[in-house]
Amino acid sequence: MSTLLPRSIREGGNRFSFVTRDLQHYLRARSAPGPHPLLAADNLLTVETNDVPNLLDRLERLQPVLGFDGVLTSCDYYLPAAAKAAERLGLPGAPPDAVERACSKDLTRKTLREAGVPGPAFALAETASGLEEAAEALGYPLVIKPVDLCAGMFVRRVDGPDQLREAHNELLEFPVNARGQRRNPVVLLEELLTGPEVSVETVTFRGETTVVGVTDKSVAGQPWFVESGHMFPAALDAATAEAVAETSVAAVEALGLDNVVGHTEVKLTPQGPRVVEVNPRPAGNQITELVRRVTGIDLAAVYAQIALGEKPDLHPVGTGAASAAISFLLPPREGTIAEIGGVAELAADPAVVDWVVKGPGHRAGAATSNNNYLGHVMVTSAEAGAARARAESLVAGLDVRYAEAVK
């Protein structure tokens, strides 16, 4: 989203200022040629964004000079701060308390349960003993989650007390997130839901929620839940698609979200749809690009429009694509990449609309979250439901070679 938003803002005829606590991050962390798109901002402002009261004061002082018309963020960890900034400046935006509820998995669970929106059985605890007692009450297998991280970090299945203690100890060793924010010590335990997973892409504007479509999801890497691919639209029958959409809209409304692009993840269990989480921002992992290539609706651009208080046009247009899919290259193991073979086939395939792989020297991590991909392949197809198989086949043809020999 940090690369898609600048394009969408500019294409909408707007300009932007970029506020960051660490400008050097965007100067050094760029794998593609050229500067990071966020650095094309009219104004680059370095502010301690983790100090929200100071951030709001600074933006308020800058408002008469720079004349902000809207506030948005490309980072999950700053969604509550962006909502508060919009409120302080008297600009369009989502209710800050609703964004806070959606961004905190513990608050989401409590709110949806009170509203009767279906989800997994769950419990919350801060201590090892509290977690063990809660796990015994819920019954294994379970899913353990931090309440305030994204990209599937530290989310894993646990089948007994030993695995639970191991997972909790790993969380305790990660007290600060990637943006330098101290983590909430509360841990969420959930019933393990079975069935396929999908996400519902929605737009809520001035109290009315529109379902743009449903995306399916492939998950790999047990006991972890790593997203290995997506296809839009999901290959669902009409009744299932309607039930999933209704459940997602109910979740958005229960949380009190308004003026947001939403991304709600849902499990299709034998008992019906169950909400996994609600994200008050556009989908990540290139899902917005899949939606755009099939429907012509650019959810990154819609995100910017809503931040400006403009009603977006959500009518789909013909693009020639009936399905679009992305498949991710997961690291077979940790180590230093020597080469990823098979890319010539990607460049020559007319179905491929985008592909990226890591270059030599990249240090591959373990396939435990969505942060460690080695690349991706995106394809489109004129046939409904056909894109996924093609994308997966192309990724399967890639050959990851390591600089170190396997010990």
Side-chain angles (χ1 to χ4, degrees):
M1 193 53 57
S2 68
T3 59
L4 296 176
L5 268 179
R7 179 196 71 188
S8 297
I9 291 171
R10 296 289 192 194
E11 289 180 355
N14 300 299
R15 301 148 54 205
F16 69 98
S17 296
F18 177 44
V19 183
T20 176
R21 66 189 295 267
D22 182 12
L23 189 60
Q24 291 299 317
H25 171 78
Y26 297 90
L27 292 170
R28 63 178 178 261
R30 177 71 172 154
S31 56
H36 194 288
L38 284 171
L39 299 182
D42 284 25
N43 305 290
L44 297 173
L45 310 169
T46 302
V47 180
E48 180 46 79
T49 49
N50 290 340
D51 182 349
V52 177
N54 177 60
L55 169 66
L56 300 185
D57 289 344
R58 287 283 300 277
L59 293 178
E60 193 170 43
R61 290 197 297 271
L62 288 167
Q63 174 69 327
V65 180
L66 298 180
F68 304 124
D69 297 303
V71 184
L72 45 68
T73 180
S74 63
C75 178
D76 284 52
Y77 298 131
Y78 293 113
L79 287 164
K84 291 175 183 176
E87 183 181 61
R88 171 72 75 87
L89 299 177
L91 299 174
D97 57 343
V99 174
E100 190 68 46
R101 283 192 292 271
C103 290
S104 302
K105 293 180 176 65
D106 52 337
L107 300 181
T108 296
R109 280 278 162 257
K110 291 176 181 178
T111 301
L112 296 187
R113 179 174 63 185
E114 291 170 1
V117 178
F122 71 94
L124 300 164
E126 290 189 31
T127 65
S129 60
L131 280 171
E132 291 185 21
E133 290 176 9
E136 290 300 324
L138 287 171
Y140 295 98
L142 294 167
V143 178
I144 183 172
K145 295 181 179 181
V147 299
D148 57 356
L149 290 177
C150 61
M153 292 183 67
F154 296 97
V155 177
R156 60 173 291 183
R157 170 177 172 155
V158 292
D159 290 292
D162 290 344
Q163 291 181 8
L164 179 63
R165 283 190 289 271
E166 178 187 2
H168 185 224
N169 287 335
E170 289 175 349
L171 266 178
L172 293 176
E173 293 173 2
F174 193 77
V176 177
N177 69 24
R179 295 298 185 266
Q181 300 166 339
R182 183 154 293 277
R183 291 194 44 256
N184 187 335
V186 173
V187 178
L188 176 62
L189 283 180
E190 293 181 350
E191 163 195 11
L192 178 67
L193 298 175
T194 60
E197 189 166 336
V198 299
S199 66
V200 183
E201 321 313 331
T202 57
V203 176
T204 304
F205 183 71
R206 295 181 181 173
E208 180 179 349
T209 298
T210 300
V211 175
V212 175
V214 182
T215 311
D216 75 7
K217 177 184 299 187
S218 301
V219 179
Q222 286 227 19
W224 312 99
F225 298 88
V226 182
E227 296 176 358
S228 58
H230 304 282
M231 183 174 70
F232 183 90
L236 302 176
D237 61 80
T240 301
E242 182 178 0
V244 168
E246 289 177 352
T247 300
S248 299
V249 172
V252 168
E253 292 177 348
L255 291 167
L257 290 168
D258 196 7
N259 301 319
V260 295
V261 176
H263 170 68
T264 302
E265 297 177 356
V266 178
K267 275 280 193 180
L268 305 180
T269 76
Q271 294 74 37
R274 297 290 183 269
V275 174
V276 176
E277 64 182 40
V278 182
N279 298 282
R281 44 81 175 160
N285 262 357
Q286 303 267 14
I287 289 175
T288 57
E289 280 296 280
L290 302 183
V291 173
R292 185 178 69 87
R293 289 185 179 275
V294 174
T295 69
I297 299 171
D298 184 346
L299 288 173
V302 169
Y303 186 36
Q305 285 180 285
I306 289 177
L308 294 169
E310 300 173 357
K311 184 176 181 178
D313 181 0
L314 300 177
H315 293 95
V317 297
T319 64
S323 63
I326 187 168
S327 186
F328 297 101
L329 178 61
L330 303 180
R333 62 176 176 86
E334 296 183 69
T336 302
I337 301 300
E339 182 185 14
I340 296 179
V343 297
E345 288 79 359
L346 303 182
D349 194 316
V352 175
V353 293
D354 183 51
W355 64 271
V356 172
V357 297
K358 297 293 186 182
H362 173 77
R363 182 69 186 176
T368 58
S369 79
N370 300 343
N371 291 326
N372 291 335
Y373 298 135
L374 295 182
H376 69 258
V377 177
M378 184 185 297
V379 306
T380 60
S381 173
E383 182 182 347
R388 168 194 285 283
R390 185 60 183 155
E392 290 178 345
S393 173
L394 289 167
V395 165
L398 296 175
D399 179 21
V400 181
R401 302 162 193 164
Y402 289 85
E404 314 96 335
V406 178
K407 296 181 180 179

